[in-house]
Amino acid sequence: MATKSKSPKGKTKKKPAAKTVKAKPDAAEGLRDLFEDELKDIYGAEKALTKALPKMIRNATSEDLIDALTDHLDVTTRQVTRLEEVFESIGQKPQAKKCEAMSGLVKEAEEIMQETEKGVVRDAAIIMAGQKVEHYEIATYGTLCAFARTLGEETAASLLEETLTEEKDADNTLTQIALSSINLEASQVEEGVEEESAE
Ligand SMILES: [Fe+2]
Ligand SMILES: [Fe+2]
């Protein structure tokens, strides 16, 4: 097999220079700037989620799932307030930025609901969409906690850690609901057959 990196004469081809991203004029200059930017992003994300969760609740049919999502909506509302405390603890005014990732995750949740009939299969889809959101939040809060600790912002770090624990709990609850009944029930729904409303 001929190697693509060498020309027929054995000369190494010049690789095109990889393009790097040009920084915006207001780009973060240090870890503190980056920390504050990401705080604004997750603040926007949590706010967006308080608007998206009610639709997921309305579309769910399993009582366990409805309870879990309703509970997490309350938790999310408190997380918004907790983020305001985080901003305060670092001497900043709370400011929200549109979170592109959350907006994509919410859009995907809507899509997957459109692609499933209301019932256990849609419930399984809602759990999947919900867990994608939780994993995004876990990654974000984990990083923010580490940034806060490095920056010596202990109050912010412990507030963020509280939220991180809540997100992990929500993720575990969704896993349990999926594994205890919904996935199995969804697997028994025959394609092309109307779902029975009562057991
Ligand atoms: Fe959250
Ligand atoms: Fe969450």
Side-chain angles (χ1 to χ4, degrees):
M1 233 167 111
T3 52
K4 280 183 183 169
S5 58
K6 292 202 172 173
S7 69
K9 285 176 189 163
K11 277 185 188 168
T12 308
K13 265 190 193 168
K14 232 186 180 182
K15 278 187 193 158
K19 275 190 184 163
T20 59
V21 176
K22 194 172 186 294
K24 290 200 254 177
D26 63 346
E29 278 171 6
L31 193 67
R32 182 165 292 273
D33 271 4
L34 183 60
F35 175 62
E36 289 173 10
D37 280 352
E38 191 59 22
L39 268 183
K40 291 173 192 166
D41 191 88
I42 194 70
Y43 185 49
E46 295 285 16
K47 283 187 161 194
L49 197 56
T50 60
K51 288 182 192 136
L53 274 169
K55 195 167 185 182
M56 289 163 85
I57 295 169
R58 281 198 304 277
N59 278 278
T61 49
S62 144
E63 261 182 49
D64 286 348
L65 180 56
I66 293 171
D67 288 350
L69 294 174
T70 307
D71 182 63
H72 201 58
L73 175 58
D74 281 352
V75 169
T76 303
T77 308
R78 287 201 297 276
Q79 289 173 348
V80 170
T81 313
R82 191 178 296 132
L83 278 171
E84 288 161 6
E85 290 170 37
V86 173
F87 278 108
E88 212 178 296
S89 80
I90 59 163
Q92 296 291 324
K93 269 195 179 160
Q95 214 183 311
K97 200 171 106 181
K98 186 190 172 190
C99 173
E100 296 294 347
M102 186 59 81
S103 137
L105 288 166
V106 166
K107 210 169 143 198
E108 195 179 287
E110 298 237 354
E111 246 175 49
I112 199 84
M113 288 192 284
Q114 285 166 5
E115 284 163 12
T116 47
E117 296 282 352
K118 194 170 182 183
V120 278
V121 178
R122 186 178 289 175
D123 284 355
I126 290 173
I127 292 177
M128 175 170 71
Q131 288 195 284
K132 287 186 186 188
V133 169
E134 295 317 314
H135 281 240
Y136 173 72
E137 290 181 307
I138 291 166
T140 304
Y141 282 108
T143 302
L144 283 173
C145 256
F147 283 0
R149 292 241 150 78
T150 304
L151 294 165
E153 296 289 358
E154 286 307 319
T155 308
S158 48
L159 288 165
L160 292 163
E161 187 142 39
E162 249 181 89
T163 300
L164 177 62
T165 305
E166 289 171 352
E167 309 297 14
K168 287 180 180 169
D169 288 347
D171 181 49
N172 285 333
T173 304
L174 290 174
T175 299
Q176 277 165 24
I177 296 171
L179 297 184
S180 68
S181 56
I182 292 177
N183 285 359
L184 188 64
E185 284 174 34
S187 77
Q188 286 158 354
V189 174
E190 284 182 58
E191 280 168 40
V193 175
E194 281 290 306
E195 231 180 284
E196 284 178 38
S197 53
E199 299 254 290

